[in-house]
Amino acid sequence: MSVRAQQRERTRQELLRVSRLLFADRGYGAVSLSEIVEAAGVTKGALYHLFASKADLFRAVLEQVQREVGETVARTADAHDDPWTRLTAGCRAFLAASTAPGVQRIMLVDGPAVLGWNEWRALDEQTSARHLAEALTELIGAGVIAPQPVAPLTHLLSGAMNEAALWLASTGDPASLPDTQAALARLLEALRTA
């Protein structure tokens, strides 16, 4: 990698780091590009060389957050041998990861508002929803869950977990997480074959 490419990547990473902190703390609408470039120690020209707009910069931050949440879910799920335990552990991990205030604001509140529901959903499907679909496919194949189309089931469960995460964000009460995880466990248990 050339010196110029290395500098460009350092600038990009610094803009992502600073933007993520500001967006997480105050929300997309309350943060200006001037604040971002000042905090990152770069010019607006440098920002525009890397990102077409504030929304484009936010998209990159959101992708980073969603990728990290997806990696946490996958790592937690993959720590278990039993497919059912992988599913339930991954779902619990998603709710737990989503309770971090910066994650909530960026991923669940500002993400759909800034990018629009369809683009936000497409990003979600590349990470957490993809892992969920793979787990459900495996469980259906093993006969643990009754045969059924995976896509609608994935969307229903993903929507339920995203809504639960939003609700957890609105309560501001960390003690609500165990109750929410227990409710999700009961919902998932209803999918199991007798």
Side-chain angles (χ1 to χ4, degrees), residues 58-121:
F58 178 81
R59 182 182 299 103
V61 169
L62 174 61
E63 287 172 351
Q64 184 181 62
V65 170
Q66 285 186 316
R67 185 174 50 255
E68 289 171 6
V69 169
E71 288 168 356
T72 297
V73 168
R75 187 173 48 255
T76 302
D78 291 344
H80 302 278
D81 293 328
D82 175 64
W84 181 257
T85 306
R86 277 197 300 273
L87 172 70
T88 57
C91 291
R92 282 193 313 275
F94 173 81
L95 287 178
S98 298
T99 60
V103 170
Q104 288 173 341
R105 174 167 272 170
I106 291 168
M107 189 172 82
L108 300 170
V109 177
D110 285 347
V114 173
L115 300 182
W117 182 253
N118 289 334
E119 187 174 350
W120 179 86
R121 189 75 190 126

Side-chain angles (χ1 to χ4, degrees), residues 9-191:
E9 183 57 24
R10 278 194 299 274
T11 300
R12 184 180 187 282
Q13 291 304 318
E14 183 61 10
L15 284 166
L16 288 172
R17 185 189 72 76
V18 166
S19 298
R20 182 172 177 169
L21 291 172
L22 291 169
F23 292 149
D25 184 49
R26 299 198 345 252
Y28 176 85
V31 176
S32 71
L33 283 179
S34 296
E35 290 176 272
I36 292 169
V37 296
E38 183 179 326
V42 301
T43 64
K44 276 192 181 179
L47 183 142
Y48 283 122
H49 185 68
L50 296 164
F51 300 99
S53 63
K54 180 179 161 187
D56 189 39
L57 174 59
F58 178 81
R59 182 182 299 103
V61 169
L62 174 61
E63 287 172 351
Q64 184 181 62
V65 170
Q66 285 186 316
R67 185 174 50 255
E68 289 171 6
V69 169
E71 288 168 356
T72 297
V73 168
R75 187 173 48 255
T76 302
D78 291 344
H80 302 278
D81 293 328
D82 175 64
W84 181 257
T85 306
R86 277 197 300 273
L87 172 70
T88 57
C91 291
R92 282 193 313 275
F94 173 81
L95 287 178
S98 298
T99 60
V103 170
Q104 288 173 341
R105 174 167 272 170
I106 291 168
M107 189 172 82
L108 300 170
V109 177
D110 285 347
V114 173
L115 300 182
W117 182 253
N118 289 334
E119 187 174 350
W120 179 86
R121 189 75 190 126
L123 289 173
D124 183 55
E125 286 180 12
Q126 294 171 14
T127 53
S128 298
R130 181 176 52 83
H131 296 298
L132 179 58
E134 290 168 359
L136 293 171
T137 299
E138 181 181 13
L139 289 165
I140 290 169
V144 177
I145 295 175
Q148 59 191 289
V150 173
L153 182 58
T154 300
H155 284 278
L156 285 166
L157 290 177
S158 180
M161 287 187 285
N162 285 330
E163 185 61 31
L166 279 168
W167 178 77
L168 285 167
S170 71
T171 67
D173 180 9
S176 298
L177 178 61
D179 290 340
T180 305
Q181 289 176 324
L184 178 61
R186 289 188 295 276
L187 178 72
L188 293 172
E189 192 63 37
L191 294 173

